[in-house]
Amino acid sequence: MPTSGLSLPSKACHNCRRRRWKCDRSLPVCQKCLHSGVECLGYGKLFLWNRGVASRGKMMGKMFEETRQKSDMESALPLPSSKDNSTVTQLEQNVISTSDVVKVHHVDPSLQWTLIDPLVRDLDPHSRYYLSHFAMKLCGDIVINDDPGQNPMRDLVPATSMYPLLRHVMVANSAFHVHNLSRQLVIQSRYQERQTTPITPYYQTGFDGPFQSSYRDALLSKQAGLSLLSQSVEVVNQWNFDIILAAVILFINYDLIESGKDSWKVHFQGARKLISLLGDARGLGIQTQHLPMSKLRTCLLADSIVFFILGSTLTFSNGSPQQLIPDTLDLDTILQYAETNNYLSCPAPLLRIMLKSFKIPDARIFETTTPFIEDQVGSLLEEVLAFDAVVWASESFQPISPHENLSKRVCIASAHRAAVCLYIARVLPTSSPLISPSSPTAIINLSYLASDIVYHLSYLNPGDTVFKSISWALFLAGAESDIPAQRTWIMEKLDALWKELYWGYVRTVKEVLELIWGYKDRAARGENVCWIEEVRRMGTELLIA
């Protein structure tokens, strides 16, 4: 992370010295290495593993077993078990002054020391902790199933040694999450009529993270990551495309961990520009039309689609789906991956319908509607209502885990079905005959849909695999709710979600719902009001995931 008073290295990086290039000696990495797509080995000492006891002298090349034949075997402590990865032999560093290379040798295994993973050996203790926290906690939060080999984001953690950009953004995510762990429960809502049992802050249950510096660490790592990102996007090619897109997605996750307000929009626009390169065979120097996508790229594109949809909940002007996913890519594969792995857990048929809805003009702008808009919205609503979550789960859905609880998937899919109806219907003015409670031709009832969401989500509890998927549907149900007891239940459910995730956007959801309910309660009795307009007047770009 950048600090004040930092001076440039006095000599070239190891790559440039080896290749006899003129090094620009920039920090944190040499720009020649960055632009050539190779890892910059830096300016300090390199660590190489040597299997011998010593690198020179009589013991050069000999193994430890050869040197302890004359030792007293009975006096030695037992070797660590193969199942115990917490201890290893002591490491001795033999510095060779002529080469800047430090060779690491094995010595007496009876001296047991804690292992420092080579991946994080050169990092400060806090950064080590944050990377560990990212791997242990956050990697599981950003997917539905974190089974071995099924989480591409976890597979990126080892790449942090080669890509400082990834390391900084992961540390930033983790550091701000640690900061959230030390914060108190979301403020009690005035709509929560009874006082709930306070949630014990995470750090009081034995957590030992670096709380005092976590906020500062998050901001410094975020700034360092943004600086590296601005350098990386200057040269995007087939070798670094996925790494850069992964970093952008993680910056969006950072904004969700922080609050879910405003900043995510800039990062999403950057993701959109990157993804557009996949539509041009010359954009990345590869012919993308006939190459299968890696699991990592499929995961990143699926997350991008979800953010594209969720970020449009309060604005319907993001454009058509072709502006995000090029025609050269298989959209069905991406949507099917999203329904199984993305933490929204929204069925692919519903995702596709929402993408179709972006082509419909926002009739609220004109305070009236047209037959064309009515027909388009009505057709989409009928398509959503025809979706059967039970049939989908039994015939179309393909779980990646044999332990998948399909009944829970049916609950979250049914809640999303009602939420998508609300999502699409709110493109219409409240007086539209398709949604007006007094209209005999109304297709849906907004209050009934809110209750339907609450009903299905009531079967999901902390510990369920898809519990982290409830926030978007729960927000839409809350925005439409006029029942005090229902509002109380929604707030308590959000409290439980905060305790499960400790992501800042959950706090934001509670705050926004407070404003919406206050606005609706102040409205004249019997007056049709649209909560979206009130949120728009707040002037805040919200991402609720």
Side-chain angles (χ1 to χ4, degrees):
M1 291 175 283
T3 57
S4 58
L6 191 65
S7 58
L8 292 176
S10 59
K11 54 188 176 182
C13 73
H14 293 287
N15 279 344
C16 291
R17 292 170 62 188
R18 183 181 304 165
R19 299 182 180 186
R20 297 186 179 181
W21 288 354
K22 183 177 180 180
C23 182
D24 59 12
R25 294 182 290 162
S26 59
L27 291 173
V29 294
C30 165
Q31 294 302 299
K32 284 187 180 293
C33 295
L34 179 66
H35 292 163
S36 62
V38 300
E39 175 193 5
C40 181
L41 299 179
Y43 309 93
K45 296 175 180 177
L46 293 178
F47 290 81
L48 300 176
W49 293 100
N50 185 1
R51 297 186 61 192
V53 174
S55 61
R56 53 189 171 182
K58 294 181 179 181
M59 307 307 295
M60 181 176 64
K62 292 184 178 294
M63 297 295 99
F64 177 79
E65 289 76 7
E66 301 175 34
T67 67
R68 73 175 285 155
Q69 292 177 355
K70 297 180 181 181
S71 300
D72 184 359
M73 300 297 293
E74 296 180 354
S75 63
L77 293 176
L79 289 171
S81 166
S82 60
K83 297 181 180 179
D84 182 9
N85 294 325
S86 63
T87 57
V88 293
T89 59
Q90 181 186 17
L91 298 178
E92 172 187 331
Q93 296 182 350
N94 181 18
V95 181
I96 304 176
S97 59
T98 60
S99 65
D100 288 337
V101 176
V102 178
K103 296 185 178 180
V104 185
H105 312 286
H106 296 282
V107 295
D108 192 345
S110 65
L111 301 176
Q112 301 180 16
W113 288 65
T114 302
L115 171 67
I116 297 179
D117 193 316
L119 174 66
V120 297
R121 183 183 180 90
D122 296 329
L123 303 182
D124 62 273
H126 283 190
S127 295
R128 294 177 189 171
Y129 183 90
Y130 293 136
L131 275 183
S132 173
H133 183 72
F134 184 89
M136 296 296 293
K137 172 62 177 171
L138 291 183
C139 275
D141 287 346
I142 58 182
V143 295
I144 285 295
N145 289 305
D146 192 25
D147 293 338
Q150 298 296 335
N151 187 351
M153 299 304 285
R154 179 180 296 282
D155 296 339
L156 281 177
V157 175
T160 56
S161 61
M162 294 181 60
Y163 299 98
L165 168 60
L166 271 184
R167 182 177 73 248
H168 281 299
V169 69
M170 286 183 181
V171 167
N173 273 258
S174 189
F176 207 99
H177 190 255
V178 169
H179 171 65
N180 283 346
L181 293 176
S182 66
R183 302 169 76 182
Q184 286 290 344
L185 168 68
V186 182
I187 299 174
Q188 189 80 18
S189 168
R190 61 191 176 95
Y191 293 95
Q192 290 174 275
E193 297 177 351
R194 63 180 185 275
Q195 292 293 319
T196 59
T197 303
I199 296 176
T200 302
Y202 197 94
Y203 68 94
Q204 292 182 9
T205 63
F207 182 77
D208 59 350
F211 291 108
Q212 293 184 351
S213 65
S214 58
Y215 183 73
R216 176 178 178 273
D217 293 341
L219 296 183
L220 288 174
S221 289
K222 177 186 177 183
Q223 184 59 40
L226 289 173
S227 177
L228 288 173
L229 180 61
S230 66
Q231 298 173 23
S232 300
V233 295
E234 293 179 0
V235 180
V236 181
N237 53 47
Q238 58 178 321
W239 310 114
N240 63 8
F241 175 85
D242 290 337
I243 294 297
I244 296 175
L245 183 57
V248 173
I249 296 298
L250 287 173
F251 271 117
I252 297 177
N253 279 322
Y254 174 91
D255 292 326
L256 285 169
I257 294 173
E258 186 180 57
S259 67
K261 297 178 181 178
D262 298 323
S263 300
W264 67 271
K265 192 85 171 188
V266 175
H267 299 309
F268 177 75
Q269 295 301 333
R272 183 199 295 272
K273 293 179 180 179
L274 283 172
I275 294 172
S276 68
L277 296 177
L278 296 176
D280 182 2
R282 298 168 299 176
L284 299 177
I286 56 176
Q287 193 74 16
T288 59
Q289 290 91 332
H290 305 294
L291 293 178
M293 286 189 296
S294 66
K295 182 177 290 186
L296 172 60
R297 184 170 297 180
T298 305
C299 172
L300 297 174
L301 293 177
D303 287 350
S304 299
I305 280 187
V306 172
F307 290 139
F308 181 56
I309 292 171
L310 300 186
S312 304
T313 301
L314 302 180
T315 60
F316 293 84
S317 58
N318 279 349
S320 65
Q322 287 79 10
Q323 292 178 285
L324 179 66
I325 301 298
D327 294 332
T328 54
L329 301 181
D330 185 356
L331 182 60
D332 287 334
T333 299
I334 299 171
L335 295 181
Q336 289 170 3
Y337 185 92
E339 74 176 2
T340 303
N341 297 273
N342 181 269
Y343 52 75
L344 176 65
S345 188
C346 186
L350 297 180
L351 289 173
R352 183 173 285 281
I353 294 172
M354 284 189 281
L355 290 174
K356 291 180 183 178
S357 71
F358 295 150
K359 299 179 180 180
I360 303 176
D362 190 344
R364 291 166 301 169
I365 298 176
F366 310 104
E367 298 182 356
T368 184
T369 186
T370 64
F372 173 78
I373 294 177
E374 292 279 352
D375 290 343
Q376 292 292 311
V377 173
S379 176
L380 289 180
L381 289 176
E382 294 287 359
E383 193 173 348
V384 176
L385 293 173
F387 172 78
D388 190 318
V390 175
V391 173
W392 166 79
S394 61
E395 297 182 2
S396 302
F397 177 68
Q398 298 180 353
I400 61 175
S401 171
H403 308 293
E404 178 76 54
N405 189 329
L406 291 182
S407 65
K408 301 294 184 180
R409 284 279 189 168
V410 170
C411 289
I412 191 64
S414 299
H416 278 137
R417 171 180 175 269
V420 171
C421 284
L422 294 176
Y423 176 90
I424 294 174
R426 276 310 183 183
V427 74
L428 299 170
T430 54
S431 59
S432 169
L434 292 180
I435 62 175
S436 175
S438 59
S439 172
T441 60
I443 297 179
I444 58 173
N445 183 294
L446 301 180
S447 297
Y448 172 80
L449 289 172
S451 298
D452 191 47
I453 293 173
V454 168
Y455 170 77
H456 290 293
L457 295 185
S458 66
Y459 288 97
L460 302 180
N461 298 293
D464 292 335
T465 302
V466 295
F467 186 73
K468 70 186 74 171
S469 311
I470 69 173
S471 57
W472 183 70
L474 195 61
F475 169 76
L476 289 172
E480 299 292 347
S481 176
D482 297 317
I483 305 172
Q486 200 173 76
R487 292 178 176 181
T488 299
W489 184 89
I490 290 171
M491 284 298 184
E492 291 175 353
K493 206 71 169 179
L494 287 169
D495 289 346
L497 183 62
W498 166 259
K499 184 179 180 182
E500 189 83 355
L501 294 178
Y502 292 92
W503 283 43
Y505 79 88
V506 180
R507 298 168 64 100
T508 301
V509 170
K510 289 196 71 172
E511 295 170 1
V512 173
L513 285 179
E514 289 265 11
L515 294 174
I516 290 173
W517 292 339
Y519 166 69
K520 295 176 73 172
D521 292 343
R522 290 192 301 270
R525 184 180 300 273
E527 178 184 350
N528 288 328
V529 295
C530 180
W531 56 267
I532 292 182
E533 298 306 322
E534 179 65 15
V535 175
R536 276 185 168 177
R537 280 192 284 269
M538 293 166 52
T540 301
E541 297 282 359
L542 300 177
L543 179 60
I544 299 169

